[in-house]
Amino acid sequence: MNKKMIAVLGCSALAASMFSMTAMAEELTTVGYAQVGHESDWRTANTQNYQDVFSNENGYELSFVDCDNDHQAQLEAVRNFINQELDYIIIAPIQSAGWDTVLQEAQDAGIPVIIADREIEADASMYDAWVGTAPKDEGVTAGNWLAEYLDGAEANILVIEGSVGASAALGRSEGFNQVAEEHEEWTILDSQSGDFTQAGGQEVMESYIKSYEGQFNVVVCQNDNEAYGAMDAMDAAGITYGVDGDVVLISYDATHDGLQYTLDGKINCDVECNPIQAEIVKGVIEQMEAGEEYPETTLVEDEAFVAPGIESEYATTMTQEILDGRAY
């Protein structure tokens, strides 16, 4: 009798435990994140930020897909999220075009969509909210800083762009070119995609060195990893760059290593694109969950940094203290 009672109590306890676990799982808000890929240090930091914020401990179940810079794979990932009937979908778009159909599918399924990091070419009514940075403004900042730094001197510029079709690349090019058009003493010799990767940056820079040897004095890389590749190529060719070099080097993202190179004087100016965005997205979702009004557009603030010895109205002079305080 006692043994039977113990067995019954044991089963009851197990059932209660299973019920509790099921209830906990049901309480989790399910979120799908279709990430661009893993092409850069910035992207790695952004991914880690989302995984930290949208954790089980914080009340979320995150379905994460690294789309490896493949637009079709990203569309498939979003469709899988829709089929799984997740509560929310977050998209960091690989390219800006080609989103109307899948966004309509998400709307028909009643699943809110948040566009993150980059922008898309779709009417704002096709998605629920956007959280990201302003790449055109970043390009303008880089251009304004260069104009201030050169103070009327000639510039023969080589640009290593980001991934073709990415809003970050399009915006940074548009903003920088807007400033360049105001300076007759500037010439953009060439502009090619390095795909936001170190290998891509090195390959493009090696080609530039062969084609424009001795003709350029400014290199603009549209992210830090491309800048590292360009630095490798210039090192191999014996070309000096940075504060004490013959070539002014501009980068974007302001990751930890990028700012270390800025502190070391190898990158003259690094324009920030802040990857720590998940907490803002989480706040928007919480407002949606509560039925409250939420911001349809949230701009993540950025700044720019310049090497020690450079003073600028457009950027902060880099210090060890700033580097030590970086979250990524």
Side-chain angles (χ1 to χ4, degrees):
M1 182 69 175
N2 288 340
K3 288 183 180 179
K4 289 184 180 178
M5 285 295 293
I6 291 172
V8 170
L9 288 172
C11 289
S12 298
L14 178 61
S17 175
M18 292 177 64
F19 176 83
S20 177
M21 291 173 65
T22 303
M24 286 178 63
E26 289 177 352
E27 290 173 4
L28 295 177
T29 301
T30 56
V31 175
Y33 184 35
Q35 174 63 287
V36 169
H38 51 274
E39 77 286 354
S40 64
D41 295 350
W42 189 99
R43 193 63 54 189
T44 299
N46 181 255
T47 291
Q48 188 62 57
N49 180 228
Y50 272 89
Q51 291 173 336
D52 290 344
V53 169
F54 288 98
S55 64
N56 292 165
E57 292 78 10
N58 288 338
Y60 294 90
E61 181 179 341
L62 179 67
S63 295
F64 174 84
V65 178
D66 179 334
C67 299
D68 200 22
N69 272 295
D70 184 333
H71 176 63
Q72 292 304 316
Q74 192 165 46
L75 292 178
E76 182 180 351
V78 174
R79 288 195 168 99
N80 285 336
F81 294 155
I82 294 170
N83 291 336
Q84 293 168 41
E85 299 182 346
L86 301 186
D87 296 323
Y88 296 90
I89 294 173
I90 306 166
I91 305 169
I94 293 168
Q95 63 183 49
S96 57
W99 287 101
D100 284 4
T101 301
V102 75
L103 290 177
Q104 185 62 60
E105 292 169 14
Q107 276 196 352
D108 292 344
I111 302 175
V113 173
I114 299 172
I115 305 300
D117 173 27
R118 299 176 177 179
E119 298 172 297
I120 60 173
E121 296 174 16
D123 191 88
S125 64
M126 297 295 294
Y127 53 92
D128 295 85
W130 175 85
V131 175
T133 57
K136 180 181 177 181
D137 291 349
E138 294 165 8
V140 169
T141 295
N144 284 338
W145 173 81
L146 183 62
E148 175 191 56
Y149 185 71
L150 294 177
D151 193 24
E154 288 188 3
N156 292 302
I157 305 165
L158 293 171
V159 179
I160 303 179
E161 300 175 13
S163 301
V164 175
S167 66
L170 295 170
R172 288 169 187 172
S173 294
E174 182 182 359
F176 185 84
N177 291 343
Q178 178 179 302
V179 178
E181 289 171 1
E182 300 170 359
H183 294 272
E184 295 181 355
E185 73 278 15
W186 291 12
T187 301
I188 296 179
L189 300 172
D190 210 336
S191 185
Q192 297 180 25
S193 172
D195 211 24
F196 284 136
T197 68
Q198 183 166 341
Q202 181 172 349
E203 182 179 355
V204 172
M205 194 69 232
E206 287 172 347
S207 174
Y208 282 164
I209 290 170
K210 292 177 183 177
S211 300
Y212 302 100
E213 183 178 1
Q215 299 178 45
F216 62 93
N217 64 340
V218 177
V219 172
V220 179
C221 299
Q222 289 191 344
N223 82 338
D224 284 340
N225 288 80
E226 289 180 340
Y228 308 154
M231 291 161 64
D232 290 339
M234 288 190 282
D235 286 340
I239 298 171
T240 60
Y241 51 86
V243 173
D244 297 321
D246 294 327
V247 174
V248 175
L249 182 58
I250 297 173
S251 185
Y252 295 83
D253 278 0
T255 59
H256 182 278
D257 287 353
L259 291 182
Q260 180 66 68
Y261 282 120
T262 305
L263 183 62
D264 294 341
K266 296 194 174 189
I267 293 176
N268 297 76
C269 178
D270 202 344
V271 181
E272 182 182 41
C273 178
N274 194 333
I276 308 303
Q277 303 176 7
E279 193 67 46
I280 299 173
V281 174
K282 176 173 169 284
V284 172
I285 289 176
E286 287 174 345
Q287 289 172 300
M288 290 179 174
E289 284 282 280
E292 300 172 355
E293 289 189 10
Y294 59 87
E296 295 181 357
T297 299
T298 304
L299 183 64
V300 180
E301 292 187 4
D302 296 322
E303 54 184 320
F305 302 90
V306 289
I310 301 175
E311 297 293 332
S312 173
E313 69 171 288
Y314 301 105
T316 301
T317 301
M318 194 62 201
T319 65
Q320 185 64 51
E321 183 179 5
I322 293 173
L323 186 64
D324 291 343
R326 299 296 283 180
Y328 60 94

